[in-house]
């Protein structure tokens, strides 16, 4: 949201850019559906994302068939690149960055995968992937409370304090 309003942001600390955003969640749901066609939860999650229609999720079996063929012929990076290119990300700098990071991960997996590696192996690869983003200046720095302790900021905003756990 901040980036879409033109405010520069840095997410600091250890993060997984493949899973910390809605586009990554949609990609993972699509791949889970392709790996397990009876996975009704992944299908329902995928259908809940606006990008599902642009990806051609009409019938789950046809989507699965087309995706598996593309994965076999061109790999994960090409398949995911097509999904990313079909996604409306023009006004979403954060999602554009996350899409680029997801594609880097897919390319790395394609470069080192064995012929026996399939969707479950790719899912494990991206779900356990962590990167460390460096400290930045002249940006809104997003970090955990633990990370920010002892740092001398002019202002700190802690979200979620207005919500009650019931």
């Amino acid at each position: 949201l901040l980036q879409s309003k033109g405010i520069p942001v840095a997410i600091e600390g250890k993060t997984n850019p493949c899973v910390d955003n809605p586009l990554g969640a949609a990609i993972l749901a699509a791949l889970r559906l392709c790996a397990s066609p009876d996975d009704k939860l992944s299908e329902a999650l995928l259908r809940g994302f606006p990008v599902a229609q642009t990806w051609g999720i009409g019938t789950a079996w046809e989507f699965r068939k087309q995706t598996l063929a593309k994965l076999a012929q061109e790999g994960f990076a090409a398949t995911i690149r097509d999904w990313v290119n079909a996604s409306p990300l023009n006004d979403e700098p954060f999602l554009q960055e996350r899409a680029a990071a997801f594609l880097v991960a897919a390319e790395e997996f394609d470069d080192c995968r064995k012929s026996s590696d399939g969707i479950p192996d790719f899912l494990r690869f991206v779900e356990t992937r962590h990167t460390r983003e460096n400290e930045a200046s002249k940006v809104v720095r997003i970090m955990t409370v633990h990370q920010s302790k002892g740092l001398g900021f002019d202002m700190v905003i802690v979200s979620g304090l207005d919500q009650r756990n019931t």
Side-chain angles (χ1 to χ4, degrees):
L1 176 65
L2 294 173
Q3 285 181 325
S4 70
K5 302 295 183 192
I7 300 170
V9 173
I11 299 175
E12 296 184 11
K14 199 160 72 168
T15 185
N16 185 336
C18 298
V19 301
D20 69 354
N21 63 86
L23 179 64
I27 293 169
L28 295 175
L31 291 170
R32 284 189 188 102
L33 176 61
C34 292
S36 303
D38 293 331
D39 185 346
K40 297 301 180 195
L41 177 59
S42 291
E43 182 178 357
L45 287 172
L46 180 58
R47 288 188 187 281
F49 289 104
V51 296
Q53 294 308 315
T54 62
W55 292 356
I57 184 65
T59 64
W61 282 98
E62 187 60 31
F63 176 76
R64 180 178 187 266
K65 180 178 148 187
Q66 291 173 355
T67 300
L68 291 174
K70 181 141 180 108
L71 288 171
Q73 292 169 3
E74 300 180 38
F76 285 89
T79 303
I80 293 167
R81 186 173 294 107
D82 285 351
W83 291 344
V84 167
N85 290 340
S87 304
L89 304 178
N90 296 342
D91 298 331
E92 298 285 347
F94 176 74
L95 290 181
Q96 290 171 351
E97 290 174 15
R98 291 320 202 216
F102 207 118
L103 287 170
V104 167
E107 289 166 357
E108 287 177 12
F109 183 81
D110 282 344
D111 288 344
C112 68
R113 80 177 188 164
K114 301 180 290 273
S115 60
S116 61
D117 288 343
I119 294 174
D121 302 295
F122 178 76
L123 293 172
R124 272 191 300 281
F125 179 80
V126 296
E127 288 173 339
T128 59
R129 182 180 181 81
H130 291 284
T131 59
R132 180 166 288 285
E133 295 188 20
N134 296 325
E135 186 177 303
S137 61
K138 296 186 181 185
V139 298
V140 173
R141 294 169 58 185
I142 299 175
M143 60 184 68
T144 66
V145 173
H146 179 72
Q147 289 172 307
S148 66
K149 285 192 300 190
L151 300 177
F153 292 112
D154 294 333
M155 179 173 39
V156 175
I157 299 170
V158 180
S159 67
L161 295 179
D162 60 336
Q163 299 174 359
R164 291 185 181 181
N165 293 332
T166 55

